[in-house]
Amino acid sequence: MSSVEKKPHLGSTLSFRHLSYQADTKGSKGRLLVDDVSLTVRAGELLAILSTLLDIMAFRKSPLEGASASLNGETLTAKSMQKVSTFVEQEDALLGVLTVRESVSYALRLHLPLLSRRDIAARVNRVLTALGLQSCADQRIGTPISRGVSGGQKRRVTAACAMVTFPRILLLDEVTSGLDSTSAREVMSAIRTLAIAEGMIVIATIHQPSLETLAQFTDILLLAEGRTCFCGKVDELEGFMERWGHPVGKFTTPSDHAMNFLNADFAESTGSDATVNVRAFREFYLSTLPAETVAVAVAAPPPSIPETEHGQAGLLGTLVWNTLVLSERTAVNYSRNLLAYGVRIGMYAGMGLMLATIWIRLGTDDSTINDRLSVHFFSVAFLAFVLLEERAVYYRETKNGLYSTLPFVLSNTLVNMPFLFICTVLFTLISYWAIGLHPGGAAFFRFLAFLYLAILAAESQMLIIASLIPIFVAALAIGAFVNGFWMSVGGYFIKARSLPRFWFFSFHYMDYQRYAFELLANSDLRGLSFRCVTSLNGACVCAYPSSTPELCTVSGGDVLRYLEIGDISYGKWAAILIGITLIFRIGLYFALKARSK
């Protein structure tokens, strides 16, 4: 879409009427942060806001009754606003192992599945050039252990990921924070150029802009005590202040000079009467307005908000496309992210080595039976970790409508499964034969399969915790508590029949560790015979009741019957583990969806 004829939104008009917002405090209603604000922005215009009004415009906070928003005369809702707008937040939520070009390309591919690779490359290069990112286009964003682009460049990458989709409405939350004055000016200049060329409406919060940066905006809105104190062209603000009798000084920007009268944060320490200043400022502004407020009229509004490219591709096609693109990006992240995933592989290898050297060559004496059971319990209870590195990126991208929750969960599952399988194989190869578990290929592959199902369930559970609790240490603590809870009711530390009835008939049957432990124990012990090494008065004394005391042996079946887990079905128990994993994955979907709201 390079020509004006293909862009009917070039004449778009965005209007907000009677926006009010009240911050509630505990037990009472707080003060009005926004009080009856109305404004209009047209395509190609850049509106600077020196307030927290942006969240209300983006429908991220609910205004009081009576507020309305419209695009070309058509009422906007939270859902329709998400379709036509992109919100650039203050935090730079990016995957550190991706390059600048890859980060922007993935954002575009997720938004426009019908674009060819040539068109994707052309649009990405255009945005990177406009934002001054060509010099670092093939440099990685950076991780805690690998230095990447600078903070200012990272800020521009976040803006590029939003702008490359060319949304009709671009909402910027302090996009110039962390940038020097020259970079801030160039970034805003690039945004203005693209806004005019693509017919975008740009609304940005910005604090203490330089004169050159402020000049890139067409309009400015100043609020004090939640009320509009100035709304007009940037180049009119200086004249406004002069007419009021407070001309702008030689080394002061018009916006900073105006805020000196509107900022009440330090009024008490300076001894000034901020309320009087604000009232006088607002009264003079109102006196400059026409006697009658004329509503913005759009002579020939364009058609209804058009279907996005996603809608044209079809819901099923979009789901498949987004799942594939997200899977590709997640796979790249897994393969490059040494800190997050290389360390995890090392931990699985370390756990396997630890078991192999501590429980080494257990043999078939009956004194080693409990040691075998401990190996199985350890394997299912201590191989899960809390990690959802893509969470912040997911929140940013889903709020901007790049994709929904389902493709994110599906892609995470598709990439997570082979990664966990590699970890399971590594752990099993290191520990299984060194410990001396049930010999034979069939028993080895059963152990591998059952342990893999257990780790899948544990990982799925931990992902739910990580999605609900954004603080890593807190998520780790809750994860440890939940893991300990399942260990307590699983039937290893205390026999299942000895559990209080409530725990036995409820959580014991929900415990994935219980089913995994019983599968591993049966796979290992069935078919084995253990020599009883203790004697009393010349008679054999076995560690478990034996069906063949005359042979001075106890079979694995005897042990399983004593533990009351000998009659399980491999297929049924494995199906239950798969079912629990599916339930956890569905829970992850709803947890992410709830948090993203």
Side-chain angles (χ1 to χ4, degrees):
M1 297 196 311
S2 58
S3 64
V4 173
E5 290 74 21
K6 294 182 181 180
K7 302 170 187 172
H9 56 274
L10 282 175
S12 297
T13 299
L14 176 66
S15 299
F16 296 94
R17 293 288 176 265
H18 309 298
L19 297 182
S20 297
Y21 179 75
Q22 186 170 263
D24 294 335
T25 57
K26 290 184 179 179
S28 63
K29 292 185 177 180
R31 65 188 181 94
L32 284 171
L33 297 182
V34 178
D35 187 2
D36 196 23
V37 174
S38 298
L39 56 95
T40 297
V41 195
R42 296 172 180 81
E45 293 184 342
L46 282 74
L47 172 67
I49 306 176
L50 281 77
S51 72
T52 57
L53 182 62
L54 199 66
D55 281 341
I56 304 172
M57 293 179 171
F59 288 86
R60 296 194 172 194
K61 290 182 179 178
S62 300
L64 299 179
E65 290 186 11
S68 65
S70 63
L71 180 63
N72 299 325
E74 180 177 342
T75 300
L76 286 173
T77 63
K79 187 174 182 179
S80 59
M81 174 61 90
Q82 187 185 63
K83 288 182 178 180
V84 297
S85 69
T86 297
F87 193 103
V88 179
E89 297 171 326
Q90 293 185 35
E91 295 80 13
D92 298 314
L94 301 165
L95 294 177
V97 298
L98 298 182
T99 66
V100 170
R101 190 186 306 278
E102 287 171 339
S103 298
V104 180
S105 296
Y106 278 121
L108 181 57
R109 290 172 62 191
L110 288 167
H111 184 74
L112 298 177
L114 300 180
L115 280 186
S116 66
R117 289 188 177 272
R118 183 176 179 179
D119 290 336
I120 289 172
R123 184 180 286 200
V124 169
N125 285 333
R126 179 183 175 189
V127 173
L128 293 180
T129 301
L131 292 176
L133 292 170
Q134 277 289 9
S135 62
C136 61
D138 298 312
Q139 188 175 349
R140 294 187 183 183
I141 301 298
T143 66
I145 63 172
S146 176
R147 186 176 179 181
V149 298
S150 67
Q153 290 171 327
K154 190 180 294 186
R155 187 91 276 259
R156 282 181 274 167
V157 174
T158 300
C161 290
M163 294 175 60
V164 74
T165 63
F166 293 161
R168 295 176 66 177
I169 303 170
L170 182 63
L171 305 166
L172 307 171
D173 192 0
E174 297 191 40
V175 71
T176 59
S177 63
L179 302 179
D180 57 70
S181 58
T182 301
S183 297
R185 181 199 66 215
E186 293 301 325
V187 167
M188 292 313 307
S189 176
I191 292 174
R192 180 173 182 171
T193 301
L194 287 175
I196 294 173
E198 299 297 328
M200 288 190 289
I201 296 170
V202 181
I203 304 174
T205 60
I206 188 167
H207 294 283
Q208 292 186 312
S210 67
L211 188 59
E212 292 177 320
T213 300
L214 184 63
Q216 304 306 317
F217 289 87
T218 57
D219 298 86
I220 187 170
L221 170 67
L222 301 177
L223 297 183
E225 299 179 348
R227 297 182 177 182
T228 302
C229 291
F230 181 86
C231 185
K233 299 298 180 183
V234 169
D235 54 14
E236 295 175 353
L237 181 57
E238 185 172 1
F240 171 87
M241 297 300 297
E242 186 171 350
R243 292 195 305 274
W244 186 39
H246 299 277
V248 179
K250 184 177 181 181
F251 300 105
T252 306
T253 63
S255 58
D256 284 348
H257 184 62
M259 290 307 296
N260 288 334
F261 297 93
L262 300 178
N263 192 339
D265 291 345
F266 300 98
E268 186 175 343
S269 62
T270 59
S272 62
D273 192 339
T275 304
V276 173
N277 289 338
V278 170
R279 187 182 300 118
F281 196 116
R282 177 172 165 77
E283 287 177 355
F284 180 75
Y285 166 69
L286 294 176
S287 70
T288 64
L289 297 179
E292 297 180 359
T293 302
V294 182
V296 176
V298 181
S304 299
I305 297 172
E307 283 292 319
T308 63
E309 291 81 351
H310 282 185
Q312 296 170 1
L315 292 178
L316 181 58
T318 299
L319 173 63
V320 173
W321 174 261
N322 286 345
T323 301
L324 291 176
V325 174
L326 288 172
S327 297
E328 177 188 321
R329 187 176 71 177
T330 304
V332 172
N333 188 29
Y334 274 38
S335 64
R336 295 180 184 174
N337 199 332
L338 177 64
L339 180 65
Y341 304 105
V343 169
R344 292 190 69 193
I345 291 177
M347 291 179 69
Y348 277 94
M351 290 283 197
L353 185 62
M354 182 180 71
L355 262 67
T357 54
I358 294 177
W359 280 272
I360 188 169
R361 298 176 185 173
L362 290 179
T364 55
D365 289 346
D366 68 340
S367 59
T368 66
I369 293 175
N370 286 337
D371 297 333
R372 286 174 174 269
L373 296 175
S374 296
V375 168
H376 305 320
F377 174 77
F378 186 97
S379 298
V380 301
F382 293 101
L383 290 180
F385 305 97
V386 181
L387 184 67
L388 189 57
E389 191 207 9
E390 305 95 337
R391 178 183 53 228
V393 178
Y394 158 80
Y395 290 147
R396 173 177 62 82
E397 293 177 336
T398 52
K399 284 181 179 179
N400 284 326
L402 289 187
Y403 51 84
S404 60
T405 305
L406 184 56
F408 178 81
V409 173
L410 290 176
S411 64
N412 178 275
T413 302
L414 290 174
V415 179
N416 206 239
M417 288 178 65
F419 172 75
L420 289 179
F421 183 72
I422 293 172
C423 293
T424 307
V425 169
L426 184 62
F427 172 84
T428 306
L429 286 174
I430 293 173
S431 62
Y432 190 90
W433 304 111
I435 294 171
L437 298 178
H438 198 298
F444 172 82
F445 286 111
R446 279 200 308 268
F447 181 94
L448 177 64
F450 297 153
L451 180 59
Y452 175 58
L453 292 179
I455 292 176
L456 266 182
E459 183 82 4
S460 302
Q461 169 192 269
M462 291 301 187
L463 286 175
I464 295 176
I465 296 171
S467 65
L468 291 174
I469 305 173
I471 303 172
F472 177 76
V473 175
L476 195 64
I478 296 298
F481 170 80
V482 173
N483 198 45
F485 172 76
W486 291 130
M487 289 191 294
S488 300
V489 299
Y492 176 77
F493 290 118
I494 178 174
K495 278 189 177 181
R497 65 184 178 187
S498 300
L499 284 169
R501 295 299 86 185
F502 170 76
W503 298 112
F504 178 76
F505 287 110
S506 57
F507 293 100
H508 175 69
Y509 282 94
M510 306 177 195
D511 188 355
Y512 75 91
Q513 291 187 12
R514 168 224 169 170
Y515 297 102
F517 170 74
E518 292 179 4
L519 282 169
L520 294 183
N522 273 267
S523 176
D524 181 37
L525 295 178
R526 284 183 185 181
L528 291 184
S529 181
F530 298 91
R531 182 171 61 90
C532 302
V533 296
T534 304
S535 62
L536 181 63
N537 298 326
C540 286
V541 179
C542 297
Y544 286 85
S546 172
S547 59
T548 56
E550 67 280 0
L551 299 178
C552 203
T553 60
V554 59
S555 67
D558 293 334
V559 177
L560 295 171
R561 280 189 293 273
Y562 176 78
L563 297 175
E564 300 177 350
I565 60 173
D567 57 350
I568 71 167
S569 164
Y570 287 151
K572 183 178 179 180
W573 257 233
I576 291 174
L577 270 180
I578 294 172
I580 291 174
T581 301
L582 289 175
I583 292 172
F584 281 152
R585 288 285 165 171
I586 294 172
L588 174 62
Y589 169 84
F590 286 107
L592 286 169
K593 201 168 185 65
R595 287 288 298 177
S596 64
K597 293 181 180 179

